[in-house]
Amino acid sequence: MKSKIALQSLALASLSSIALPSIAAQAEPLSTETQNAFFAQIAAHCGQAFAGKVVSGDTADSPFSGKSLIMHVRECSDTELKIPFHVGDDHSRTWVLTKTQQGLKLKHDHRHQDGSEDAVTMYGGDTMNDGTVLKQSFPIDRESIDNFVKNGLTQSITNVWHMEITPTTFSYQLTRENRNFKVDFDLTQPVALPPKPWGHDSLAGPIIGLMLL
């Protein structure tokens, strides 16, 4: 009996000496090396604003014609970028790019002029693969599909959003069947900073921001 107890004690001592991997070590990486490089390229422009122009030819893009288009890499952390997209006097939308355990997530934060959330807000999707250091794509997620259906926007349930960056150009694109919207921003010529996006300052008024759905 004593021999058996001694063997059990020895086994327990051996197990206790084994270094178990930490929880952090077991966790999935926060995005991938490729996605981190893509994220870093945008973050390098933090604090700057750039003018853009529509380069797609859809007739649905007419609401953007003749208006100044400004993107502002306004808020930056190691895991999240907030990029307001200003269309003329419409300051309703902010792109929110976030690192996740699975990759990158893109959401669209839409506000009314008084700062309150629109019924259709925080829609977007997650990357499905590594993408490249130049381009990432974000197919629509289930939460956004449900929101679109609830609000009668069934034409948008197959949306895929894309972001692309080179040393000279940042591009934002929305694609689905019979829809292709794309804006190119000139990164070589920073412009004056636009006003704060709605929801960051409390502004009175009932104006509702133009959506890109």
Side-chain angles (χ1 to χ4, degrees):
M1 178 64 71
K2 290 183 179 179
S3 177
K4 184 177 181 180
I5 293 174
L7 287 173
Q8 289 176 336
S9 299
L10 180 62
L12 288 171
S14 298
L15 285 172
S16 65
S17 67
I18 297 174
L20 297 177
S22 66
I23 293 175
Q26 293 178 37
E28 296 180 40
L30 192 66
S31 67
T32 68
E33 183 177 348
T34 298
Q35 292 163 338
N36 287 337
F38 173 83
F39 185 98
Q41 288 191 85
I42 302 176
H45 298 285
C46 194
Q48 294 182 306
F50 306 95
K53 61 180 180 180
V54 176
V55 295
S56 48
D58 283 5
T59 56
D61 301 337
S62 57
F64 296 85
S65 300
K67 296 180 180 178
S68 64
L69 306 178
I70 304 293
M71 64 168 282
H72 180 194
V73 189
R74 185 172 184 270
E75 298 181 46
C76 310
S77 74
D78 290 341
T79 57
E80 184 177 83
L81 302 175
K82 292 186 177 180
I83 309 169
F85 174 36
H86 303 267
V87 181
D89 294 328
D90 178 348
H91 313 296
S92 65
R93 61 171 64 75
T94 297
W95 301 321
V96 183
L97 185 64
T98 308
K99 293 181 182 179
T100 72
Q101 295 297 339
Q102 289 73 41
L104 296 175
K105 178 187 295 290
L106 173 64
K107 288 290 186 175
H108 299 71
D109 183 350
H110 274 294
R111 305 294 183 99
H112 296 258
Q113 192 178 9
D114 65 1
S116 61
E117 290 187 349
D118 195 275
V120 182
T121 190
M122 297 311 291
Y123 60 84
D126 295 87
T127 53
M128 301 298 289
N129 52 52
D130 285 358
T132 73
V133 297
L134 300 179
K135 185 175 182 179
Q136 296 289 327
S137 297
F138 307 86
I140 191 169
D141 58 26
R142 171 51 59 182
E143 179 184 24
S144 302
I145 292 174
D146 292 344
N147 182 278
F148 285 166
V149 171
K150 178 181 178 181
N151 288 279
L153 300 168
T154 54
Q155 75 277 11
S156 300
I157 64 173
T158 58
N159 280 5
V160 181
W161 296 273
H162 314 268
M163 286 183 165
E164 187 171 0
I165 188 166
T166 72
T168 61
T169 306
F170 175 85
S171 300
Y172 168 89
Q173 186 177 18
L174 161 65
T175 60
R176 63 172 180 261
E177 186 175 2
N178 300 319
R179 185 76 171 102
N180 178 26
F181 172 81
K182 187 178 183 183
V183 183
D184 283 350
F185 297 88
D186 183 1
L187 298 181
T188 68
Q189 297 291 330
V191 299
L193 299 184
K196 293 181 180 180
W198 296 343
H200 293 256
D201 267 356
S202 180
L203 301 174
I207 300 175
I208 298 176
L210 174 69
M211 296 259 183
L212 178 61
L213 304 171

